[in-house]
Amino acid sequence: MKNLFEPCQAGALQLASRIVMAPLTRNRAPNAMPNALMAEYYAQRANPATGAGLIITEATAISHQGQGYADVPGIWSTEQVNAWQAITQGVHAKGGKIVMQLWHVGRISHTSLQPGGQAPVAPSAITAKSKTVLIVDGVPSFVPTSEPRALRLDELPGIVDDYRKAARNAIAAGFDGVEVHAANGYLIDQFLRADSNHRTDAYGGNIENRARLLKEVMSAVCEEIGAGRCGIRISPVTPANDASDAAPQALFEHVTQFLGTLALAYVHVIEGSTGAARDYQQGDHAFDYKAMKAAYQKAGGKGAWMLNNGYERDLADQALQADADLIAFGKSFIANPDLGARLKQNGPYNTPDRATFYGGKEAGYTDYPTLAKAH
Ligand code: 8OZ
């Protein structure tokens, strides 16, 4: 019987529990720079006895071009690498582990966030029916994403190289590893899905071609820092950020079959619609997650299987008995810095305040009470 509170080996990562803090965009990094307030937030959640066995950072841009939201952090400059060190040191001082989520948003961006005010880049010049966050007059506001331009074939090696350098930078900043963000309708997911990828070259068309960028990025990152320190996040059926594909089952079985050939730390699966109630088993969201995992294992995949989306204690226990090794908690980690301690006694839980998810300072970020403080 697996349980949340026992150690788990995920590739080269020795984790003190099966409780993971999911990546959470919080828009509190002006100028794409990590800062002291962020260090406090992560340190509050880092002790595995009361918090997470593994923290995954908020999505972090691998390049200026990879940025799509106001005040999200980056990992492309020396200054950023140095600033992240305070965060990794703070987490390690509490006995915790932390990996960085590597992010290129592709078309989910706005010209005002791009180098030189240029168009965002994407597999094809198709505008997403989606919004991004800008700070307008000091207030976070949702605006439609800009029309992207299609990446030229000769630009793709540079994108793969940006992921490679970002992974190298993450290790230099003291991270235990990286997670490649291939979910939620961002660049890699845009390549995967037929509705956002109309390319006619080696990166578009059939499944193998649409998965090519993902494969090249994963191979590069694994080669750079060792596969045992690398994870990946996928979201087979999410409609987030206008992600859309008529045949996700075949697509994602192809993807996990490839992932099974790498000796990854873990595969992180968002079930259903990102951030929504647990609706993945309903109607047109029918997706055979077990078959996807079987494809991974058949190909030799031994890395931990991490599940996410709306988990609470009972569902997490059930998932661990079924097929999960790790459970990633998102919104509940926003509101409960000591979520591990609260899961152990199954409550009480603070309620997350949506109004403070994106942007702002301490309020709704570092000021949620712990059990120790509430009593
Ligand atoms: C919420 C707001 C902005 C970005 C994702 C990185 O969906 C995100 C994100 C979530 O993966």
Side-chain angles (χ1 to χ4, degrees):
M1 286 268 291
K2 282 184 265 182
N3 79 78
L4 277 174
F5 313 101
E6 68 190 359
C8 176
Q9 186 78 30
L13 308 176
Q14 261 186 300
L15 309 180
S17 82
R18 299 184 185 273
I19 300 169
V20 178
M21 178 174 165
L24 294 157
T25 290
R26 305 304 307 273
N27 305 74
R28 282 164 168 89
N31 306 312
M33 283 292 288
N35 53 54
L37 184 62
M38 287 164 61
E40 185 185 346
Y41 161 78
Y42 285 112
Q44 285 176 344
R45 289 155 179 79
N47 179 347
T50 54
L54 175 67
I55 292 174
I56 305 169
T57 67
E58 62 206 276
T60 300
I62 59 165
S63 60
H64 188 172
Q65 183 197 68
Q67 220 174 13
Y69 297 80
D71 297 348
V72 296
I75 186 69
W76 66 84
S77 75
T78 309
E79 292 73 26
Q80 289 163 340
V81 170
N82 293 340
W84 278 111
Q85 278 168 1
I87 292 171
T88 58
Q89 282 162 11
V91 169
H92 291 150
K94 301 260 176 178
K97 294 267 157 70
I98 182 166
V99 297
M100 169 170 273
Q101 196 193 46
L102 302 183
W103 195 27
H104 190 308
V105 296
R107 65 179 181 164
I108 309 301
S109 187
H110 191 268
T111 52
S112 68
L113 297 164
Q114 288 291 305
Q118 293 166 41
V121 299
S124 303
I126 305 166
T127 308
K129 294 180 205 69
S130 182
K131 297 203 163 156
T132 184
V133 179
L134 299 181
I135 309 286
V136 180
D137 296 330
V139 180
S141 53
F142 287 86
V143 298
T145 53
S146 302
E147 182 182 344
R149 71 168 177 87
L151 282 159
R152 297 185 315 271
L153 188 60
D154 66 10
E155 289 178 284
L156 296 178
I159 302 258
V160 174
D161 207 45
D162 285 343
Y163 278 97
R164 179 194 291 274
K165 286 182 189 140
R168 188 189 310 157
N169 285 349
I171 296 302
F175 284 94
D176 298 292
V178 303
E179 171 179 292
V180 170
H181 193 344
N184 294 345
Y186 297 111
L187 184 69
I188 294 175
D189 208 18
Q190 289 157 30
F191 270 85
L192 286 178
R193 298 182 195 256
D195 293 339
S196 48
N197 182 348
H198 292 183
R199 298 179 77 92
T200 53
D201 59 17
Y203 291 81
N206 62 28
I207 284 175
E208 194 161 341
N209 283 358
R210 284 185 272 129
R212 193 175 305 281
L213 183 68
L214 178 149
K215 293 180 189 178
E216 290 180 353
V217 166
M218 289 310 292
S219 299
V221 164
C222 289
E223 183 185 88
E224 191 63 33
I225 69 167
R229 299 194 170 280
C230 298
I232 184 170
R233 194 178 205 209
I234 55 176
S235 54
V237 301
T238 197
N241 292 309
D242 204 16
S244 156
D245 190 279
Q249 191 74 45
L251 174 61
F252 281 91
E253 285 182 27
H254 179 88
V255 165
T256 57
Q257 194 181 343
F258 166 75
L259 297 175
T261 66
L262 310 172
L264 294 178
Y266 66 82
V267 176
H268 181 178
V269 181
I270 302 172
E271 300 164 306
S273 307
T274 311
R278 295 188 58 81
D279 62 351
Y280 64 90
Q281 56 287 65
Q282 290 167 16
D284 57 0
H285 283 152
F287 182 86
D288 190 345
Y289 291 91
K290 285 198 171 13
M292 183 177 76
K293 187 182 178 191
Y296 172 69
Q297 290 179 318
K298 199 167 163 216
K302 294 187 179 58
W305 198 251
M306 186 190 300
L307 297 182
N308 167 251
N309 210 2
Y311 276 94
E312 29 83 345
R313 173 68 198 267
D314 288 352
L315 281 169
D317 289 344
Q318 285 165 32
L320 289 178
Q321 295 336 308
D323 51 10
D325 301 305
L326 298 167
I327 305 289
F329 298 87
K331 287 191 279 288
S332 45
F333 250 121
I334 288 181
N336 299 280
D338 56 346
L339 184 64
R342 290 172 189 263
L343 284 167
K344 204 161 214 170
Q345 60 180 64
N346 200 12
Y349 300 99
N350 302 319
T351 308
D353 173 15
R354 282 181 181 278
T356 51
F357 279 4
Y358 310 116
K361 293 210 159 76
E362 291 86 355
Y365 191 53
T366 49
D367 64 352
Y368 282 104
T370 60
L371 283 169
K373 273 186 204 147
H375 287 184

